[in-house]
Amino acid sequence: YPQVISLHLVIPVCAESRLSTSTFYSEESLWGAAAMAYCQHIGVEFMFINDLEQCQWIRQKFETPGIMQFTNEEKRTLLARLVRSTRFEEFLQRKWSSEKRFGLEGCEVLIPALKTIIDKSSENGVDYVIMGMPHRGRLNVLANVIRKELEQIFCQFDSKLEAADEGSGDVKYHLGMYHRRINRVTDRNITLSLVANPSHLEAADPVVMGKTKAEQFYCGDTEGKKVMSILLHGDAAFAGQGIVYETFHLSDLPSYTTHGTVHVVVNNQIGFTTDPRMARSSPYPTDVARVVNAPIFHVNSDDPEAVMYVCKVAAEWRSTFHKDVVVDLVCYRRNGHNEMDEPMFTQPLMYKQIRKQKPVLQKYAELLVSQGVVNQPEYEEEISKYDKICEEAFARSKDEKILHIKHWLDSPWPGFFTLDGQPRSMSCPSTGLTEDILTHIGNVASSVPVENFTIHGGLSRILKTRGEMVKNRTVDWALAEYMAFGSLLKEGIHIRLSGQDVERGTFSHRHHVLHDQNVDKRTCIPMNHLWPNQAPYTVCNSSLSEYGVLGFELGFAMASPNALVLWEAQFGDFHNTAQCIIDQFICPGQAKWVRQNGIVLLLPHGMEGMGPEHSSARPERFLQMCNDDPDVLPDLKEANFDINQLYDCNWVVVNCSTPGNFFHVLRRQILLPFRKPLIIFTPKSLLRHPEARSSFDEMLPGTHFQRVIPEDGPAAQNPENVKRLLFCTGKVYYDLTRERKARDMVGQVAITRIEQLSPFPFDLLLKEVQKYPNAELAWCQEEHKNQGYYDYVKPRLRTTISRAKPVWYAGRDPAAAPATGNKKTHLTELQRLLDTAFDLDVFKNFS
């Protein structure tokens, strides 16, 4: 055997009958030559697995003589699947030769491989398969695995097709699909979902995992016997993208495991134009899977029967051990990166060899004809039959006039958008609660509902303080969150809170999981002891990952609209490690894929002298990606203006200044008749600020989330005497009120809090401006001028008042870093912005 595999146990299967002439050899791709040479058979990596039972299981599957046998019927089925896979690509090439489609040529065996995994899994009891994949071969998978109507695929190539019925859409090789059908091999129903994805390779991996976990959770599949996931990868991306590693490390964590994923690597032995020797440091592209002891099966894709056998074994492994497994399809890419690309520029010798390669369909057909399994007319009839199907679908596709993105939805929510057969009303009921419910939740939050359970002494003081607040009919931030969550659980809404250290809370304020001080691993979640028939509450500390975990929670939120799924960053600053999920999925997801999602991001934010990495959740970035027009004043007289604004936006951005408003916005997220991502900039110092309290009165029936909290002090009593109207959001409000009081300016300066930044509350802010006719307007923020909210708020405020007045700025100067690391400098900057805010002459020099 080739020396390239000398470090691993590689077992040939029926070696004498598996010899092939498919080896590529070129100066550019020596590794490719060796890989193809050893994968003329089947290579198995498993000696790193430290479980004897698993190793023996693998040995039995590959060392038993004659174990890889196929009946003639199975061979004919395999041939028919190869015909469909190959002729589909050839049909597209004939009809649209100048269109990008990222075809599967060179790895046509992928289609029968996937169908074999699904068949075997269905046989073992799986009835729901969730898939994620990059663009290469996606249309073929949609057509021949998911069974998307061919005419729906073909019409995507029509340049005359009218714009989408909703949203801006996406290219055809990014779209997803959901389909329930009969598996013809097992005669059992199976549901297939292919998750939509961006061009960011591997970004969909954790999303698929999260959706799979959610579907398992909702159907009570605690062992992954009913719902499973299949992830497809390219060799370069599998080795090169860190999100692969992050996703693997979620695979065996209690709150994240999906009980085994089948990974299929389409190993083209090239990444765009990059040779494998330049693309990775590891011997194989699949070596990352070794970190979780996943067996790795390398197989020559020009040997369809070897591929089918390996895929059956992979499905059986997953069914037996409920752990990840990798199938490495060592193949080639007949065209360039896409159909318009010329690969000979960079891999000339490799592609000279590829040009000489017989397609796998031709090879396998010749083999079966020689074996007498089929004859030539039968083979040609199979081809003609599928070609006719494609031609008929092509004719029907010409009748399509509008591109309906909703036909490509990967996660439908049947029944959610209608009530008694009619569209749901565009309104939101009160988010308040009765005092009895608030008191009951508060009492549970301040107690230990399990007997003989010893908690930490410091925690006893925290619970005692909570109990005193309940008696005084007030809440702080942690208690407001508890009441929002607890009330939704009572209403049957499952809540899942995930992120680093969320069980206790980064700032030791939450304490949703209590730990017995005397018994190891004995815990209690009081939130699950609120009501007899409540929905379950899941709170789970995540691995130290943002990209992977946020993607996972996004996928979890896709599964059902009747759940509140929240991801909390340890500090808001760290969300940018997950920027790909935010930019490619959360922000534009509905516009691209008509896929609503109600995920909530909790991002601790605030300038408190903690340095540039523990201060800013970068609100300017979220606001810059909001889809509203700063120069257009909407129709403020429209019925349900605030709800329609929410429906039209791509996400909601808030920065609450009171616990009561935080309570309301969490409840509103579920009571709305639709779902939008919710971005909340949460506090740090306000968690224990004595003034950051809310009364039960602010949370009773009839109360709502306040998009704007107007001035309610002396300035509001005599508005004509007010000289300056300050607009602000979040924590800086408390700095402003303290400074205003110290300067005895409570009658001269009014302070209005904008709690919901986007969609922008034009209607309420217009009333505020009109209320103070003699006041100059200023926006005050603690962030630097080129950061924070100013560039978003200023043009919208100007539009609100028809540009009748300037909107001045009071805040920190522009800066490259979000915050200083020097405490004295921090305090100096804070005092300077407060001086600007309350110096009534400061802006006259700029008039």
Side-chain angles (χ1 to χ4, degrees):
Y1 307 114
Q3 280 68 36
V4 72
I5 55 167
S6 60
L7 297 179
H8 309 290
L9 177 60
V10 177
I11 304 166
V13 179
C14 305
E16 18 345 306
S17 65
R18 299 278 164 234
L19 295 178
S20 167
T21 58
S22 63
T23 303
F24 303 143
Y25 189 89
S26 68
E27 300 89 86
E28 305 106 314
S29 188
L30 293 176
W31 183 91
M36 287 301 293
Y38 91 79
C39 275
Q40 286 169 355
H41 316 305
I42 298 173
V44 183
E45 290 185 66
F46 72 98
M47 292 305 288
F48 50 84
I49 297 176
N50 54 12
D51 184 293
L52 180 59
E53 179 192 0
Q54 294 176 10
C55 288
Q56 292 290 69
W57 187 92
I58 293 174
R59 287 192 177 99
Q60 185 272 329
K61 292 294 180 183
F62 290 96
E63 292 184 348
T64 303
I67 195 170
M68 196 178 79
Q69 298 295 329
F70 291 87
T71 66
N72 286 349
E73 184 59 34
E74 288 173 328
K75 292 181 179 182
R76 283 192 287 268
T77 298
L78 174 51
L79 179 65
R81 290 174 170 180
L82 274 176
V83 165
R84 286 173 171 258
S85 175
T86 304
R87 299 300 288 182
F88 176 82
E89 299 294 354
E90 292 177 0
F91 182 84
L92 295 184
Q93 181 63 25
R94 286 199 307 273
K95 297 294 185 183
W96 298 282
S97 59
S98 60
E99 282 272 354
K100 288 183 184 179
R101 54 183 168 83
F102 295 96
L104 203 50
E105 290 92 341
C107 193
E108 293 91 344
V109 77
L110 176 66
I111 299 305
L114 291 176
K115 292 175 82 72
T116 298
I117 294 169
I118 293 168
D119 291 346
K120 194 65 182 177
S121 300
S122 175
E123 181 182 311
N124 291 329
V126 169
D127 54 28
Y128 194 172
V129 178
I130 299 166
M131 301 169 59
M133 68 177 297
H135 43 280
R136 185 164 313 285
R138 190 181 192 89
L139 296 180
N140 207 323
V141 170
L142 284 165
N144 290 313
V145 179
I146 310 291
R147 303 247 187 94
K148 176 73 176 172
E149 298 94 332
L150 291 177
E151 55 265 35
Q152 287 290 327
I153 296 174
F154 296 160
C155 76
Q156 290 274 337
F157 290 89
D158 187 353
S159 60
K160 298 184 178 66
L161 207 62
E162 292 184 23
D165 51 337
E166 184 179 344
S168 55
D170 200 351
V171 292
K172 48 190 167 292
Y173 39 81
H174 286 174
L175 300 177
M177 179 61 186
Y178 174 97
H179 186 47
R180 185 168 178 79
R181 62 174 175 82
I182 292 287
N183 182 287
R184 293 171 184 169
V185 173
T186 62
D187 202 31
R188 298 180 70 246
N189 275 320
I190 191 155
T191 300
L192 301 173
S193 175
L194 178 61
V195 173
N197 72 288
S199 286
H200 298 62
L201 298 176
E202 307 294 343
D205 294 359
V207 180
V208 171
M209 296 293 95
K211 179 172 166 58
T212 303
K213 181 67 174 179
E215 299 293 356
Q216 290 174 347
F217 176 83
Y218 293 127
C219 72
D221 183 16
T222 57
E223 298 180 359
K225 293 181 177 180
K226 296 291 185 183
V227 183
M228 69 170 287
S229 52
I230 301 174
L231 283 177
L232 280 69
H233 314 268
D235 53 317
F238 199 62
Q241 294 290 307
I243 187 59
V244 175
Y245 186 85
E246 289 189 38
T247 305
F248 267 117
H249 269 285
L250 297 177
S251 66
D252 210 25
L253 301 182
S255 297
Y256 300 87
T257 181
T258 58
H259 309 285
T261 296
V262 178
H263 299 265
V264 180
V265 178
V266 177
N267 187 351
N268 295 313
Q269 305 179 79
I270 189 171
F272 205 151
T273 66
T274 303
D275 187 275
R277 292 173 301 183
M278 311 302 172
R280 62 176 181 274
S281 297
S282 61
Y284 309 109
T286 53
D287 283 343
V288 64
R290 294 161 65 97
V291 300
V292 292
N293 285 340
I296 304 166
F297 304 136
H298 307 277
V299 59
N300 184 349
S301 294
D302 267 5
D303 187 342
E305 291 180 16
V307 172
M308 295 314 104
Y309 182 74
V310 161
C311 289
K312 285 183 180 179
V313 172
E316 289 173 1
W317 167 274
R318 193 262 172 198
S319 177
T320 303
F321 298 107
H322 298 287
K323 296 178 74 69
D324 285 29
V325 58
V326 178
V327 176
D328 178 21
L329 299 178
V330 184
C331 58
Y332 59 93
R333 191 188 67 195
R334 187 167 288 277
N335 299 313
H337 178 66
N338 59 63
E339 289 68 26
M340 301 295 99
D341 192 46
E342 177 50 76
M344 295 285 283
F345 288 145
T346 51
Q347 275 79 28
L349 299 187
M350 182 180 186
Y351 270 85
K352 285 178 182 177
Q353 292 296 318
I354 289 175
R355 297 288 187 261
K356 299 174 184 177
Q357 278 292 108
K358 277 186 182 181
V360 65
L361 173 61
Q362 184 180 345
K363 285 184 179 182
Y364 192 57
E366 290 173 355
L367 176 64
L368 295 193
V369 170
S370 70
Q371 293 176 348
V373 176
V374 297
N375 55 44
Q376 190 67 26
E378 288 173 333
Y379 167 56
E380 293 174 358
E381 182 183 354
E382 190 69 34
I383 290 177
S384 298
K385 184 169 67 174
Y386 187 67
D387 286 353
K388 182 180 178 184
I389 291 172
C390 290
E391 289 291 352
E392 290 173 350
F394 175 68
R396 291 194 300 273
S397 72
K398 295 180 179 179
D399 296 331
E400 297 288 338
K401 303 300 182 186
I402 298 177
L403 170 59
H404 295 282
I405 304 176
K406 62 187 178 185
H407 292 166
W408 300 75
L409 191 60
D410 56 18
S411 303
W413 293 338
F416 174 69
F417 298 103
T418 58
L419 187 63
D420 297 327
Q422 299 296 320
R424 294 180 66 178
S425 170
M426 290 294 285
S427 61
C428 182
S430 168
T431 46
L433 299 170
T434 65
E435 185 145 351
D436 288 346
I437 292 178
L438 295 174
T439 302
H440 173 72
I441 298 173
N443 289 335
V444 173
S446 55
S447 63
V448 182
V450 177
E451 294 181 358
N452 302 317
F453 194 99
T454 305
I455 62 174
H456 190 275
L459 185 53
S460 297
R461 291 189 292 273
I462 291 174
L463 298 188
K464 182 180 178 181
T465 300
R466 284 182 184 172
E468 291 171 353
M469 281 194 291
V470 174
K471 290 178 183 177
N472 294 326
R473 302 181 67 253
T474 60
V475 296
D476 64 359
W477 227 271
L479 197 50
E481 179 185 74
Y482 216 109
M483 290 177 172
F485 287 2
S487 60
L488 291 173
L489 293 172
K490 183 178 188 295
E491 296 163 16
I493 301 299
H494 168 239
I495 297 176
R496 178 182 169 93
L497 172 62
S498 164
Q500 295 158 29
D501 312 299
V502 297
E503 295 179 5
R504 190 202 74 169
T506 300
F507 312 103
S508 194
H509 69 290
R510 182 173 287 126
H511 297 286
H512 283 187
V513 179
L514 310 181
H515 293 259
D516 194 310
Q517 299 297 294
N518 300 322
V519 182
D520 185 33
K521 299 180 181 178
R522 188 186 183 206
T523 60
C524 171
I525 303 177
M527 194 86 77
N528 280 323
H529 296 264
L530 284 168
W531 322 98
N533 298 309
Q534 68 172 69
Y537 174 52
T538 304
V539 56
C540 44
N541 288 342
S542 73
S543 63
L544 214 158
S545 155
E546 288 84 26
Y547 189 172
V549 174
L550 179 56
F552 188 97
E553 302 308 331
L554 176 79
F556 200 104
M558 283 167 52
S560 172
N562 298 315
L564 183 65
V565 180
L566 309 96
W567 175 76
E568 181 174 68
Q570 191 180 66
F571 283 82
D573 313 61
F574 304 151
H575 83 263
N576 58 6
T577 309
Q579 199 70 46
C580 179
I581 298 296
I582 294 167
D583 289 354
Q584 310 310 133
F585 290 89
I586 299 178
C587 171
Q590 185 176 355
K592 292 197 295 187
W593 306 317
V594 200
R595 184 172 74 194
Q596 293 193 14
N597 196 297
I599 192 170
V600 179
L601 273 60
L602 302 177
L603 306 176
H605 172 85
M607 307 291 137
E608 287 147 338
M610 296 182 69
E613 273 76 55
H614 294 83
S615 298
S616 177
R618 294 290 190 176
E620 65 278 2
R621 294 182 179 170
F622 290 95
L623 293 172
Q624 185 264 336
M625 290 190 286
C626 294
N627 65 351
D628 60 330
D629 190 332
D631 302 319
V632 176
L633 186 67
D635 181 4
L636 305 183
K637 297 179 181 179
E638 180 185 17
N640 297 315
F641 170 76
D642 54 336
I643 305 300
N644 287 323
Q645 259 198 320
L646 291 170
Y647 182 79
D648 292 335
C649 74
N650 60 317
W651 57 16
V652 182
V653 182
V654 304
N655 187 1
C656 300
S657 62
T658 71
N661 228 19
F662 181 55
F663 159 88
H664 282 295
V665 80
L666 289 175
R667 284 186 48 78
R668 185 185 74 170
Q669 184 71 357
I670 288 296
L671 295 180
L672 286 169
F674 47 81
R675 295 289 174 261
K676 300 285 178 174
L678 173 60
I679 315 300
I680 307 180
F681 303 119
T682 55
K684 295 173 287 186
S685 61
L686 290 191
L687 296 172
R688 294 178 177 82
H689 197 294
E691 295 178 27
R693 299 285 187 272
S694 292
S695 165
F696 277 17
D697 293 335
E698 300 171 42
M699 303 158 68
L700 294 177
T703 57
H704 294 264
F705 171 71
Q706 293 180 271
R707 293 177 291 143
V708 169
I709 301 180
E711 170 68 52
D712 62 355
Q717 308 305 317
N718 296 288
E720 64 280 353
N721 296 331
V722 171
K723 298 181 179 179
R724 179 171 295 169
L725 173 58
L726 290 177
F727 295 101
C728 68
T729 188
K731 179 183 75 71
V732 73
Y733 168 76
Y734 294 91
D735 297 318
L736 292 171
T737 54
R738 185 186 70 249
E739 187 72 13
R740 182 176 64 174
K741 183 178 180 181
R743 294 177 183 242
D744 194 25
M745 299 179 72
V746 292
Q748 295 175 283
V749 178
I751 304 174
T752 293
R753 288 167 273 176
I754 303 179
E755 303 279 291
Q756 178 179 292
L757 292 143
S758 181
F760 197 70
F762 291 98
D763 52 334
L764 300 181
L765 292 176
L766 179 60
K767 292 178 181 178
E768 283 296 288
V769 173
Q770 291 173 340
K771 184 176 180 179
Y772 303 98
N774 302 318
E776 59 184 6
L777 310 179
W779 171 259
C780 185
Q781 66 178 35
E782 58 181 355
E783 296 81 5
H784 290 281
K785 189 174 184 180
N786 60 322
Q787 300 162 31
Y789 320 91
Y790 178 60
D791 286 337
Y792 177 85
V793 170
K794 179 181 177 179
R796 287 163 179 79
L797 263 179
R798 294 270 290 156
T799 297
T800 302
I801 60 174
S802 302
R803 297 168 180 78
K805 294 181 178 180
V807 176
W808 302 109
Y809 171 78
R812 286 178 165 86
D813 292 335
T820 177
N822 182 279
K823 187 71 172 181
K824 182 178 180 181
T825 303
H826 164 76
L827 294 174
T828 301
E829 290 174 346
L830 175 61
Q831 190 56 53
R832 187 181 299 132
L833 77 84
L834 293 174
D835 290 343
T836 303
F838 292 102
D839 182 349
L840 298 181
D841 296 321
V842 70
F843 298 130
K844 291 181 179 177
N845 296 329
F846 301 101
S847 299

